[in-house]
Each structure stands twice: as structure tokens, then as C-alpha cells.
Amino acid sequence: MIRATEVRGQYRWAEAPADTVVLDFDDRHRRRMAMTGTRGLEFLLDLESAVALRGGDALVLEDGRLVEVVAAPESLVEIRGADPQHLVRIAWHLGNRHLPTQIVGKGLRIRRDHVIEAMVKGLGARIIEIEAPFDPEGGAYATAQDHDHGHTGHDHAHDHHHDHAHAHGDHHHHHDEHCDHEHHHGDTHAHDHK
């Protein structure tokens, strides 16, 4: 079976693709996986490390042909706030839960989750149920190189096994220790320089 061994970043290619693969968010974060294009081309995705593919990327086959990546529509909710400051507050709560979130126009998109939807409504947001491709932000560990998707040498698959709880007001949530970011405990010290 022919292999796809590299990725060309979003729309950084001009030639006509030999085929197209339509993948949901989970299937767009793989290192190795057998795939079949919409026109029947069978190939093996075989990358050095797991890469978060985006709609518009192209997989490069060993013979030089390209396979276009299309983000499949998924069940999402679009979250709208009263104003930008309200939306930033909601985004903070979503980020605090390490929830994949897409920023669009005047809103935020997340996958359907009745618990999170109830929390967001409790914060005064409006929820709109939609079907759309899900392309969340890469997170703090993502770099500008990720959009090039060449062999950058880092693996974006995260194993989260050790967990510890934080109490925030009257609710709890869990963090995993391997998250590639720091957890600050205690007071924050903001300074206003005028």
C-alpha cells in the first residue's frame, strides 16, 4: 500500500489533488492510519510523529501525488456572549477545563457536551446548535511550525495519566500532569502600569 509520509500546510500547494479524505477532528490527529479517499484511493498515513491536520492540508504520497484533507462536519455548539469581554470570560472557563475550542467571528465553537453547555448558559451565554467542521485552536504547545507540518520533531500526542484536582469555588475539575504547561497555584499578581 502506498504511504503518505509528509504533510503540506493549509493551502500551501497548488497542484490538483489525486483524492480527498474527509476526517473528523479525532481522525485528523494521527501518526499512522489506513485511509481511503472519497474516490477510492487507499493509502497508509505514516508520519514520523502525530500531527494535528487541518482542513486544507495536503498529505504527500510517496509518488508525489497529493491527497487533500477536508474537515468533516460535526455536531457542535456555537457560543455567543453579550460583548467581547463576556466572550473572553467564557473562553477562560473553557480553557480552564482544557476543552478544545474554535474561535470564529463573534463566537466560540465546541463539541456538543450537555454539562459544558449548561455551564456556559449559566454564565449568560447564548448557545446555537450547528453542524460544521471543527478546527479548534492548537493550544499553548502549538507553534508556528505546526502549520508547516514538516517533520518538526515534536509529537503532539499527549498521554495524560497522573491527575490532580483543583477546587474552584464550589466545583472541582482535574488536570493531568503531562500537559506541557505550568499550573500556577495561589494568587495571581497583576500589575497595572500606567
Side-chain angles (χ1 to χ4, degrees):
M1 182 181 286
I2 193 164
R3 298 182 309 144
T5 55
E6 62 180 285
V7 179
R8 285 212 198 137
Q10 284 184 306
Y11 309 110
R12 292 185 184 164
W13 44 278
E15 53 270 55
D19 209 333
T20 299
V21 285
V22 181
L23 306 170
D24 68 13
F25 174 62
D26 291 331
D27 282 341
R28 290 196 319 272
H29 196 262
R30 303 284 181 187
R31 187 191 78 75
R32 187 176 165 90
M33 181 173 144
M35 296 186 169
T36 303
T38 57
R39 291 177 234 155
L41 175 64
E42 294 182 358
F43 65 97
L44 177 67
L45 178 69
D46 192 11
L47 304 175
E48 283 183 5
S49 59
V51 168
L53 300 170
R54 305 189 83 135
D57 285 352
L59 305 175
V60 183
L61 299 174
E62 292 170 302
D63 62 8
R65 290 181 298 162
L66 302 180
V67 177
E68 182 178 5
V69 175
V70 173
E74 302 186 47
S75 293
L76 307 176
V77 290
E78 189 159 307
I79 301 164
R80 298 286 178 87
D83 55 39
Q85 184 176 352
H86 185 214
L87 200 60
V88 166
R89 183 168 168 257
I90 293 162
W92 183 89
H93 283 278
L94 297 175
N96 196 41
R97 284 157 183 78
H98 300 266
L99 200 70
T101 303
Q102 181 177 358
I103 300 168
V104 291
K106 296 182 177 181
L108 304 168
R109 287 181 183 172
I110 60 169
R111 286 173 147 171
R112 296 296 317 267
D113 181 323
H114 67 278
V115 172
I116 299 298
E117 290 169 39
M119 175 200 78
V120 166
K121 286 178 184 173
L123 292 168
R126 191 164 57 96
I127 298 263
I128 305 161
E129 295 178 16
I130 62 169
E131 286 277 323
F134 186 49
D135 202 9
E137 290 296 303
Y141 53 82
T143 68
Q145 295 176 12
D146 292 338
H147 295 288
D148 251 349
H149 295 315
H151 299 298
T152 58
H154 34 289
D155 186 346
H156 294 292
H158 298 286
D159 259 331
H160 298 300
H161 291 297
H162 161 354
D163 101 24
H164 60 279
H166 295 289
H168 294 284
D170 55 10
H171 68 277
H172 296 278
H173 75 278
H174 296 274
H175 285 293
D176 298 312
E177 208 59 285
H178 284 63
C179 292
D180 282 353
H181 64 269
E182 297 175 11
H183 294 286
H184 296 285
H185 307 286
D187 299 326
T188 55
H189 300 285
H191 300 283
D192 192 6
H193 298 287
K194 295 186 178 177

